[in-house]
């Protein structure tokens, strides 16, 4: 059966890199809200210009906008997917529950990539994306701690949260991610 997975973790944890590998290996859709928002920015549309201002500040864009993006993609793609960067707060987590119930596509697992803060800051500053300046990075980590980290509990109480050590080489982490998904496929309980 094709997997339906949320990938959680702070900025710089490696969600994008790992999702790309996992999606390619398993034939899943990789749905990154950050990538889709950055693509909108490059079109220079009015919406893109508004989104750019939010991204440059390190803030989150509106819940309704990202939900619309995710809803459109998931409604068209029923074959298995990885959500990267969504949900980002408890409102979005509740919106996703409702959306998946409507679509009849229950979530199988939320994989949480764990990396400590010093390593995150170092990785983000090396990455050098336009929203990776030190002040913006610190703000994004703060928003993560306040708004996103609490949603781990949302999945934990549902028995859906599984933690993955995000330290080490890309390949080592990819192996851990794949093993975690295999364990879920074999019916093992998600634990963190
Ligand atoms: P990411 O590539 O996931 O690090 O996202 C980059 C930026 O896109 C974030 O700092 C937010 O400004 C915005 N973004 C991505 N996903 C979401 C989301 N689910 N809700 C709100 N803003 C988002």
């Amino acid at each position: 059966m094709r997997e339906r997975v949320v990938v959680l973790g702070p900025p710089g944890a490696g969600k994008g890199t790992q999702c790309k590998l996992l999606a390619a290996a398993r034939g899943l859709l990789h749905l990154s809200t950050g990538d889709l928002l950055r693509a909108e920015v490059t079109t220079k549309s009015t919406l893109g210009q508004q989104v750019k201002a939010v991204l440059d500040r390190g803030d989150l864009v509106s819940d309704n906008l990202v939900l619309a993006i995710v809803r459109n993609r998931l409604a068209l793609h029923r074959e298995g997917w990885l959500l990267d960067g969504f949900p980002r707060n408890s409102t979005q987590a509740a919106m996703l529950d409702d959306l998946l119930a409507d679509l009849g596509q229950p979530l199988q697992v939320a994989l949480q990539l764990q990396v400590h803060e010093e390593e995150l800051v170092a990785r983000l500053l090396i990455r050098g994306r336009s929203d990776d300046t030190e002040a913006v990075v610190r703000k994004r980590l703060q928003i993560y701690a306040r708004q996103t980290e609490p949603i781990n509990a949302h999945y934990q109480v549902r028995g859906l949260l599984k933690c993955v050590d995000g330290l080490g080489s890309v390949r080592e982490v990819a192996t851990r991610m794949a093993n975690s998904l295999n364990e879920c496929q074999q019916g093992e309980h998600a634990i963190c």
Side-chain angles (χ1 to χ4, degrees), residues 91-108:
T91 307
Q92 292 182 11
M95 285 170 152
L96 180 62
D97 287 348
D98 291 346
L99 172 62
L100 296 182
D102 279 355
L103 296 174
Q105 299 189 44
L107 185 70
Q108 289 168 333

Side-chain angles (χ1 to χ4, degrees), residues 35-165:
D35 282 354
L36 292 168
L37 290 166
R38 282 184 289 276
E40 186 64 41
V41 170
T42 61
T43 68
K44 301 214 161 62
S45 63
T46 310
L47 177 63
Q49 286 168 20
Q50 289 163 0
V51 168
K52 182 178 184 330
V54 179
L55 264 60
D56 285 349
R57 287 198 306 269
D59 286 328
L60 298 183
V61 306
S62 82
D63 295 331
N64 286 330
L65 174 62
V66 280
L67 180 71
I69 292 175
V70 173
R71 183 200 299 276
N72 288 341
R73 300 292 193 293
L74 289 192
L76 292 173
H77 192 98
R78 298 180 160 263
E79 287 296 307
W81 35 259
L82 298 170
L83 288 184
D84 163 8
F86 181 90
R88 207 79 161 210
N89 57 33
S90 53
T91 307
Q92 292 182 11
M95 285 170 152
L96 180 62
D97 287 348
D98 291 346
L99 172 62
L100 296 182
D102 279 355
L103 296 174
Q105 299 189 44
L107 185 70
Q108 289 168 333
V109 68
L111 294 180
Q112 197 220 340
L113 265 176
Q114 295 187 308
V115 176
H116 59 79
E117 182 158 342
E118 267 165 68
E119 170 76 11
L120 294 172
V121 174
R123 286 187 190 181
L124 289 167
L125 294 181
I126 289 171
R127 185 169 73 176
R129 218 166 64 188
S130 67
D131 56 349
D132 286 339
T133 60
E134 180 148 8
V136 176
V137 160
R138 299 245 172 238
K139 181 162 181 194
R140 282 164 52 215
L141 288 172
Q142 239 175 32
I143 291 179
Y144 173 80
R146 285 197 198 131
Q147 298 194 39
T148 312
E149 203 168 23
I151 66 175
N152 293 338
H154 178 96
Y155 292 108
Q156 190 155 32
V157 294
R158 289 162 176 75
L160 290 173
L161 188 71
K162 203 166 172 87
C163 292
V164 179
D165 179 1

